[in-house]
Amino acid sequence: MRITVGKGSCGIAAGAAEIFNILKDAGVPAVVTGCIGMCYLEPIVNVDDRTFVRVTPDAAREILKFIRGEENGAEQYAIPQEDLDNLSVQHRIALANCGIIDPENIAEYIAREGYAAAKKCIAAMSPEDVIAEMKASGLGGRGGAGFSTGLKWSFARAEKGDKKYLICNADEGDPGAFMDRAVIEGDPHNLIEGMIIGAYAIGSDEVPIAMEGIVYVRAEYPLAIIRLEQALGQARERGMLGKNIFGSDFSFDIRIKAGAGAFVCGEETALIASLEGERGMPRLKPPFPAQKGYWKKPSNINNVETYANVPWILRNGGAAFAAMGTENSKGTKVFALTGKVAKGGLAEVPMGKTLRDVIYGVGGGIKNGREFKAVQMGGPSGGCIPAELIDTQIDYRTLAATGAIMGSGGMVVMDETTCMVDMARFFLDFTCKESCGKCIHCRIGNRRMLEILERICAGDGREGDIELLSDLAEQIKAGSLCQLGMTAPNPVLTTLRYFRNEYEDHIHNKKCTAHQCKPLLTYAIDPEKCTGCTLCARKCPGKAIAGEVKKVHVIDMDKCTKCGKCSEVCRFGAVVVD
Amino acid sequence: MTCNCAENKSWKFSDPEIDIALLEPTLEKYGDVAGSLITVLQKAQELYGYLPVDLQAYIACRLGVKPAKVMGVVTFYTQFRTKPVGKNLILLCQGTACHVNGSSGIEQAIREFLGTEEGEITADGLFTYNNVACLGCCSLSPVMMIGDKTYGNLTKDKAVKILKEIAAEG
Ligand SMILES: Cc1cc2nc3c(=O)[nH]c(=O)nc-3n(C[C@H](O)[C@H](O)[C@H](O)COP(=O)(O)O)c2cc1C
Ligand code: SF4
Ligand code: SF4
Ligand code: SF4
Ligand code: FES
């Protein structure tokens, strides 16, 4: 009998550690797995082919009885069929093992063809063959830009030198995205194997080149760092890392560098500066990292998910990968579905599916039966795609045509209670805080845009603000050195493009229809519904509510500070917010 | 560089809690390794909780770099703090997913409960809260992390209840 408990960060936050301990303490040989991607059902326990979800300590005790073949009440925690169906839209390559195998046990990875691809490459393929296979796969970098991985490797290979670096970008800075975390926590060996293959393709030569691998992981992912460290140790023990890998004359090892919290360090030249112990400031390219990277040596940088696709491609052939997807985007892509979506989690789907397939097919639509309004893709560099474009096909070009981008895979779903002006303000606030400060347009221009948006959200929007925003956006795009500054205006531009009416409402009518911008709201008490319970009056910090017991209460808007307390506490829905 | 900060026994730190001997193994290990400033600072913060200016100056001296460079790095990365924090550091996520699901309301509730602004220590020394930009548990948003524990699907009441429980434990 195989019993597993999903213990990714998300599972643990939902209480999986406690469940795991209940099973362990009862003598059940439960195995740890990573995140299967159905975060909304966490904690999840599998007993052979049965899946139990939202497992509470009580549920765990029923599952224990089930395991022991006793009479039990575990059935009520069994996964509903419709949730199982969500998996059928998916096609898992990067996530193939996540939530299935024990990430802390290399034997389980090996049992699922693990390290077979690396072994094959080193034993039977030339580096040129490997690169040709990668080119044939059409795999584009999953860090956001989608640049051909095979081509990138060929550049790093072409550079001469006695030392080269292979770097993995696990900075995952887009707030609202967690694909890379899931891969590292759930299947670290897949990443390691991908990196070994990359290192071999770039650095194996007749005159040996010293190859070193570095994974730059963001500091907020402590569990990922622990699991990866463990996995590296196990791979070393088995001769898959270190000197003379698989008994060949190729040597390669990997170390981890924990980031220190800076979004801009996801940009490759900033990442390199950070690795060198400096402030993470981007620099002009060329020279590209492939020419002059870490310590000025040829360096190849790829994203976690990019590497995680590599072993599959080498096992199944580039053509099999290229058979999935569209003309310009091959293979699959992992998305992190969050926000107002009913079933938040991870989804890996073939390119060419539509946003609807992901948001409704996997995500189950919108929470609480509300209306879908927009989805933000590409984080602070991306844009909001409105409801009317939900049938947009997922590929690099089609998404770019909407004004958003594929990005690294964050999909933050928004409903009618999300204010799009506030979202634009939110993203600019983020980019302003994260700007490294090198370029004037990024450092000051974005701040000016933010100030305008803050003004609009505070009810002080003016005639001409929209034009001013558009004008600044164009200048910032033109005048910034790196993509952080260049793309910072995108959330503003896309919301202006699709939700201009909301800007106009804010500016001209001083109204926020989504009821998010507090200064624009008014509070009133509906005399029909008010029972005179006095609760709101007692809670109001501004003493703005007058009334006696069992009599209708009234708000004095002159005193009201618009804190929202009254509408929160009223149990009779009598406070009308507009 | 001629430097005698290690021998200079009169090197006094304004915070008497700082036992510099604890950092010695790290300084030994990384003192001559180029590019290890961030690693040393991370270790120092892990040991002492924060990086006061005099500690920064000491590290600069030991690594043979200018104090201004150390301060430049410390102020660039959000992980580094120059002020001490309470016994329990609350990392409140303000990432996109958490924002959409109401993290600013959670912050308001936490601020009211603690009676402090971001980065300050409560009078009882128990708490400091900091806003962060995504803890990677976005599917459970809004999320906060205290110590190594992550709490998801927060509401204002739930967040305050968690803090009360921690406060009760002391
Ligand atoms: C501001 C900024 C942040 C970025 N953050 C990340 C990140 O967190 N993870 C990532 O893989 N790539 C990130 N990138 C993209 C990287 O610069 C780089 O293109 C990528 O790591 C290359 O790997 P790939 O070809 O496999 O996608 C970022 C770029 C910019 C401009
Ligand atoms: S665009 Fe912004 S983040 Fe990028 S280098 Fe310039 S100032 Fe720094
Ligand atoms: S809380 Fe609601 S019902 Fe009670 S007095 Fe206020 S408005 Fe009326
Ligand atoms: S919004 Fe706040 S200040 Fe205004 S009436 Fe309600 S409780 Fe009082
Ligand atoms: S946005 Fe809050 S955990 Fe990711």
Side-chain angles (χ1 to χ4, degrees):
Chain A
M1 195 178 260
R2 181 177 167 85
I3 297 146
T4 64
V5 181
K7 271 177 84 180
S9 291
C10 40
I12 293 172
E18 194 186 342
I19 304 302
F20 184 79
N21 290 339
I22 291 176
L23 297 178
K24 263 262 136 87
D25 292 345
V28 169
V31 170
V32 170
T33 68
C35 168
I36 185 79
M38 297 190 278
C39 306
Y40 66 103
L41 293 177
E42 222 88 66
I44 300 176
V45 176
N46 279 293
V47 181
D48 286 335
D49 57 354
R50 299 297 310 274
T51 302
F52 301 100
V53 300
R54 295 203 172 106
V55 177
T56 56
D58 282 340
R61 284 183 271 275
E62 294 306 316
I63 295 169
L64 264 179
K65 292 183 202 159
F66 171 80
I67 293 169
R68 292 175 178 146
E70 296 163 11
E71 196 176 318
N72 64 79
E75 197 50 43
Q76 54 176 311
Y77 305 104
I79 186 169
Q81 186 58 42
E82 52 162 86
D83 289 311
L84 278 176
D85 293 344
N86 292 343
L87 285 171
S88 64
V89 186
Q90 302 195 42
H91 187 101
R92 296 182 159 233
I93 292 177
L95 298 182
N97 294 326
C98 285
I100 312 263
I101 67 168
D102 179 353
E104 299 177 358
N105 181 357
I106 190 171
E108 295 206 359
Y109 180 69
I110 293 173
R112 287 172 63 101
E113 296 184 277
Y115 289 109
K119 201 169 182 174
K120 178 173 95 177
C121 289
I122 295 175
M125 291 173 78
S126 71
E128 286 76 16
D129 291 344
V130 175
I131 289 177
E133 208 61 63
M134 289 305 297
K135 282 185 182 162
S137 75
L139 173 66
R142 299 304 192 225
F147 186 80
S148 161
T149 306
L151 210 53
K152 196 185 253 188
W153 288 11
S154 72
F155 296 154
R157 171 152 195 86
E159 290 298 317
K160 298 284 162 245
D162 53 354
K163 172 122 200 180
K164 293 183 186 176
Y165 293 96
L166 187 92
I167 299 168
C168 173
N169 187 344
D171 198 40
E172 196 152 66
D174 172 7
F178 54 97
M179 305 75 52
D180 298 346
R181 174 182 68 71
V183 169
I184 303 179
E185 286 179 3
D187 195 13
H189 289 288
N190 195 20
L191 168 63
I192 296 172
E193 185 176 7
M195 288 181 73
I196 294 173
I197 296 170
Y200 175 74
I202 288 160
S204 172
D205 216 334
E206 267 147 39
V207 189
I209 298 171
M211 280 301 298
E212 190 181 337
I214 306 169
V215 185
Y216 186 92
V217 190
R218 66 192 301 242
E220 290 85 347
Y221 289 177
L223 183 64
I225 294 177
I226 292 170
R227 293 242 168 101
L228 185 60
E229 194 75 72
Q230 234 173 15
L232 289 171
Q234 292 179 356
R236 249 174 242 132
E237 264 167 36
R238 298 219 178 192
M240 285 141 181
L241 280 178
K243 285 216 160 31
N244 306 103
I245 296 182
F246 302 111
S248 72
D249 51 14
F250 179 67
S251 301
F252 175 62
D253 209 334
I254 301 173
R255 63 182 163 92
I256 300 173
K257 176 77 191 82
F263 173 66
V264 71
C265 288
E267 196 280 338
E268 50 195 16
T269 58
L271 188 150
I272 288 170
S274 179
L275 281 177
E276 293 173 352
E278 304 286 331
R279 290 161 67 98
M281 318 254 278
R283 61 157 174 78
L284 265 178
K285 293 184 277 190
F288 289 94
Q291 299 143 355
K292 276 200 170 68
Y294 185 45
W295 300 127
K296 305 238 171 350
K297 302 286 183 195
S299 305
N300 178 77
I301 304 186
N302 280 119
N303 164 262
V304 174
E305 190 186 332
T306 310
Y307 287 122
N309 277 302
V310 172
W312 190 98
I313 291 171
L314 271 299
R315 276 201 308 274
N316 299 278
F321 193 82
M324 285 176 286
T326 67
E327 186 59 38
N328 65 67
S329 308
K330 304 298 185 191
T332 60
K333 177 78 195 86
V334 183
F335 293 102
L337 264 174
T338 61
K340 304 286 188 170
V341 70
K343 300 174 175 180
L346 289 175
E348 182 170 0
V349 296
M351 298 281 190
K353 291 274 181 194
T354 63
L355 293 174
R356 184 190 298 280
D357 291 329
V358 177
I359 295 168
Y360 283 85
V362 183
I366 308 303
K367 254 194 267 196
N368 305 325
R370 290 218 180 90
E371 244 352 91
F372 170 59
K373 183 171 184 177
V375 57
Q376 170 79 17
M377 291 189 71
S381 306
C384 288
I385 303 177
E388 63 265 25
L389 296 181
I390 189 160
D391 290 307
T392 301
Q393 186 171 307
I394 296 171
D395 69 48
Y396 286 94
R397 262 186 231 156
T398 319
L399 285 172
T402 67
I405 54 170
M406 175 81 77
S408 62
M411 269 196 194
V412 184
V413 177
M414 299 161 193
D415 70 9
E416 69 230 35
T417 65
T418 316
C419 168
M420 303 316 276
V421 186
D422 174 65
M423 279 322 288
R425 182 203 58 74
F426 168 82
F427 281 116
L428 263 187
D429 180 56
F430 179 83
T431 32
C432 282
K433 283 182 186 144
E434 297 296 336
S435 164
C436 83
K438 197 172 195 167
C439 324
I440 295 169
H441 282 79
C442 173
R443 184 181 71 235
I444 301 176
N446 281 318
R447 177 140 314 266
R448 291 291 95 85
M449 284 185 81
L450 174 62
E451 283 164 4
I452 296 170
L453 288 165
E454 282 175 341
R455 228 173 1 81
I456 297 176
C457 290
D460 297 323
R462 301 177 201 144
E463 202 67 51
D465 273 348
I466 294 182
E467 292 68 25
L468 197 52
L469 282 172
S470 316
D471 184 37
L472 274 167
E474 292 314 320
Q475 295 193 35
I476 291 165
K477 280 182 146 190
S480 298
L481 185 151
C482 86
Q483 291 287 332
L484 186 146
M486 247 183 264
T487 58
N490 281 354
V492 182
L493 289 174
T494 50
T495 47
L496 268 176
R497 176 163 163 190
Y498 298 115
F499 300 97
R500 198 183 172 95
N501 60 329
E502 286 193 32
Y503 282 85
E504 286 167 348
D505 262 350
H506 279 71
I507 295 172
H508 304 305
N509 309 329
K510 311 291 175 207
K511 276 262 163 292
C512 175
T513 42
H515 293 173
Q516 289 299 316
C517 299
K518 289 236 160 96
L520 299 184
L521 303 183
T522 57
Y523 294 82
I525 292 172
D526 180 349
E528 302 282 314
K529 287 191 181 153
C530 177
T531 64
C533 76
T534 73
L535 188 58
C536 61
R538 280 182 282 132
K539 293 283 179 184
C540 172
K543 304 256 172 291
I545 306 180
E548 288 164 34
V549 185
K550 296 199 174 146
K551 297 240 171 72
V552 170
H553 282 51
V554 183
I555 297 175
D556 178 354
M557 275 316 284
D558 287 338
K559 288 192 191 154
C560 170
T561 61
K562 308 189 179 187
C563 72
K565 204 91 236 162
C566 50
S567 77
E568 240 171 70
V569 297
C570 177
R571 286 186 296 259
F572 306 95
V575 178
V576 186
V577 187
D578 189 30
Chain B
M1 195 163 167
T2 51
C3 165
N4 61 350
C5 45
E7 288 80 47
N8 186 355
K9 299 282 186 264
S10 66
W11 193 293
K12 275 257 183 319
F13 295 96
S14 50
D15 182 344
E17 300 272 304
I18 290 179
D19 174 5
I20 202 66
L22 298 174
L23 192 61
E24 199 50 39
T26 309
L27 290 167
E28 285 287 315
K29 185 170 167 195
Y30 293 105
D32 298 325
V33 185
S36 38
L37 175 57
I38 293 175
T39 311
V40 172
L41 292 173
Q42 283 171 329
K43 188 70 198 172
Q45 182 161 292
E46 196 184 305
L47 289 169
Y48 311 119
Y50 73 115
L51 303 167
V53 174
D54 48 9
L55 179 62
Q56 291 178 34
Y58 181 82
I59 291 173
C61 190
R62 291 295 304 275
L63 296 184
V65 298
K66 292 203 172 73
K69 175 169 178 171
V70 176
M71 187 176 270
V73 168
V74 166
T75 50
F76 186 83
Y77 294 98
T78 49
Q79 187 187 23
F80 297 127
R81 297 180 291 265
T82 52
K83 281 194 245 155
V85 288
K87 192 172 159 203
N88 300 286
L89 179 63
I90 306 165
L91 300 180
L92 178 65
C93 181
Q94 300 288 357
T96 319
C98 291
H99 177 75
V100 168
N101 281 322
S103 57
S104 50
I106 310 286
E107 182 184 359
Q108 195 190 334
I110 291 181
R111 198 173 346 141
E112 276 170 23
F113 175 73
L114 298 180
T116 55
E117 294 296 318
E118 182 182 4
E120 297 174 354
I121 308 181
T122 50
D124 56 10
L126 278 182
F127 294 104
T128 297
Y129 87 86
N130 278 343
N131 289 320
V132 296
C134 188
L135 295 165
C137 289
C138 325
S139 45
L140 302 174
S141 56
V143 177
M144 68 176 173
M145 199 167 170
I146 303 175
D148 57 1
K149 225 174 150 190
T150 309
Y151 303 86
N153 296 322
L154 294 178
T155 58
K156 291 183 185 180
D157 292 343
K158 191 170 162 188
V160 170
K161 190 166 157 251
I162 292 165
L163 298 188
K164 278 187 180 153
E165 279 166 15
I166 294 174
E169 283 166 25

